[in-house]
Amino acid sequence: MRVTVAMPAYNEVDGIREFLQEIASAMDPYVTTFVVADDCSTDDTLKALASMSTELPLVVLAGERNSGHGPTTLRALQESLRCKPDVVVA
């Protein structure tokens, strides 16, 4: 089964790596892709995500402006459908 995990992120540099690794471990043995929509973080969240691109199947969406949790989540969900998953987890 192909699973896509869709999530927003805002200023999550301190925990994003461990959080995604924990989810990836819990999703084993499914084929899992992560879609993370960054909501214009002012910390190094985007850098942390970029450094993880070799560790996990990861799609990172950088926001052009801060739009809040709801619109950012919807953006991640919309992109998740492009991965053609069997299941999307938000």
Side-chain angles (χ1 to χ4, degrees):
M1 179 176 355
R2 292 182 320 264
V3 177
T4 299
V5 176
M7 59 184 281
Y10 180 75
N11 289 348
E12 299 292 344
V13 70
D14 291 334
I16 194 85
R17 176 179 297 278
E18 294 82 13
F19 183 67
L20 291 177
Q21 289 170 337
E22 185 176 326
I23 294 172
S25 177
M27 297 304 292
D28 188 44
Y30 303 115
V31 176
T32 306
T33 301
F34 294 87
V35 175
V36 181
D38 182 74
D39 195 19
C40 289
S41 292
T42 58
D43 65 3
D44 287 330
T45 298
L46 281 174
K47 286 182 184 177
L49 290 168
S51 73
M52 295 184 69
S53 63
T54 58
E55 300 169 34
L56 297 171
L58 180 63
V59 176
V60 178
L61 307 171
E64 294 179 16
R65 62 179 168 69
N66 183 273
S67 57
H69 182 81
T72 305
T73 301
L74 289 174
R75 186 170 172 229
L77 288 167
Q78 289 170 337
E79 184 65 27
S80 293
L81 296 176
R82 290 190 179 101
C83 298
K84 305 218 184 279
D86 297 309
V87 176
V88 174
V89 177

